């Protein structure tokens, strides 16, 4: 996790609490989900329809008060990495989430990251957030010398690698943070993913959008 908090779009108080828990475990979705499910009384959990918003809020507040532990960082035998990123927005704009998967040179998944972006956010913004999230955690955990970013958003690709000005209103903060992060990686490039190409970050972005859809808590 970086020293500076990642920017945030408008979210409900409940979605914001979940994001704070995610930040506390380095945005590792599985670790956050397990911790939240364990903190909810009975057999409920983060996405259990039987868990009331009040029960979930109390569980989240309890977790944050007790402190969270980041999972141990898996070792990598190489300084080359692949980063899958994806953003998801229902309604575009709508509830949006970001996902990122860090993979080492051997193909082993080292991190599966996700977060809610905003309750009424466009898909392009979610894509920027996904890229920023993945880069921030990659640099916090490893010292990458080579990086291939696999991404399906041509809008982000044209901005980050093509030198175009951002066309999405309000993404300048994300765009500047991405540029600063990539400046720390000596050799980086992108690979455009077609809609038919598998992207392991897609499911994590969907989870983020599910969280962003939470109402007030």
């Amino acid at each position: 996790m970086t020293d500076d908090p990642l920017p945030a779009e408008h979210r409900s108080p409940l979605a914001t609490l979940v994001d704070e828990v995610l930040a506390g475990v380095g945005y590792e979705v599985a670790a956050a989900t397990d911790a939240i499910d364990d903190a909810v009384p009975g057999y409920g959990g983060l996405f259990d329809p039987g868990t009331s918003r009040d029960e979930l809020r109390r569980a989240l507040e309890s977790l944050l008060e007790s402190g969270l532990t980041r999972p141990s960082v898996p070792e990598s035998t190489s300084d080359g990495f692949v980063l899958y990123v994806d953003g998801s927005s229902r309604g575009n704009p709508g509830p949006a989430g970001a996902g990122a998967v860090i993979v080492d040179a051997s193909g082993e998944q080292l991190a599966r990251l996700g977060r809610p972006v905003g309750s009424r956010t466009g898909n392009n913004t979610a894509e920027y957030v996904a890229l920023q999230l993945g880069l921030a955690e990659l640099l916090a955990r490893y010292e990458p010398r080579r990086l291939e970013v696999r991404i399906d958003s041509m809008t982000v690709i044209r901005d980050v690698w093509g030198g175009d000005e951002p066309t999405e209103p309000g993404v300048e903060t994300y765009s500047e943070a991405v540029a600063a992060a990539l400046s720390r990686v000596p050799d980086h490039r992108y690979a455009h993913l077609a809609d038919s190409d598998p992207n392991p970050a897609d499911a994590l972005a969907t989870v983020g959008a599910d969280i962003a859809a939470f109402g007030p808590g």
Side-chain angles (χ1 to χ4, degrees):
M1 187 168 53
T2 57
D3 292 335
D4 297 325
L6 299 179
E9 305 293 314
H10 175 75
R11 295 186 302 243
S12 72
L14 192 59
T16 298
L17 284 173
V18 178
D19 191 61
E20 290 175 8
V21 171
L22 281 161
V25 296
Y27 297 98
E28 292 277 3
V29 171
T33 301
D34 288 346
I36 294 168
D37 290 352
D38 288 344
V40 172
Y43 296 97
L46 179 60
F47 295 115
D48 190 321
T51 300
S52 71
R53 289 292 179 256
D54 283 343
E55 288 175 325
L56 182 55
R57 175 181 50 77
R58 288 194 293 269
L60 293 166
E61 291 173 344
S62 174
L63 274 176
L64 292 169
E65 289 173 2
S66 63
L68 294 158
T69 301
R70 288 171 61 94
S72 60
V73 176
E75 292 187 7
S76 176
T77 58
S78 169
D79 60 4
F81 298 87
V82 172
L83 177 63
Y84 287 91
V85 297
D86 196 30
S88 174
S89 173
R90 295 181 191 144
N92 196 25
V101 175
I102 300 172
V103 180
D104 70 7
S106 70
E108 180 182 357
Q109 291 189 8
L110 303 175
R112 293 178 54 81
L113 315 170
R115 69 177 302 213
V117 179
S119 60
R120 188 166 179 78
T121 302
N123 190 73
N124 285 332
T125 299
E127 295 277 0
Y128 278 99
V129 175
L131 180 54
Q132 184 193 19
L133 170 63
L135 289 171
E137 284 298 324
L138 174 65
L139 290 167
R141 300 170 189 220
Y142 304 104
E143 297 182 1
R145 304 289 297 174
R146 293 171 289 109
L147 174 65
E148 180 176 275
V149 177
R150 297 182 182 175
I151 181 173
D152 63 11
S153 172
M154 285 305 303
T155 298
V156 177
I157 288 171
R158 284 192 292 265
D159 169 22
V160 174
W161 286 276
D164 290 359
E165 290 295 322
T167 57
E168 183 89 356
V171 301
E172 291 81 8
T173 300
Y174 303 110
S175 180
E176 291 169 4
V178 165
L182 286 174
S183 71
R184 296 171 55 189
V185 184
D187 178 10
H188 61 82
R189 62 186 184 274
Y190 73 86
H192 179 243
L193 296 177
D195 290 342
S196 57
D197 292 330
N199 186 347
D202 175 71
L204 299 164
T206 299
V207 172
D210 289 340
I211 296 168
F214 286 171

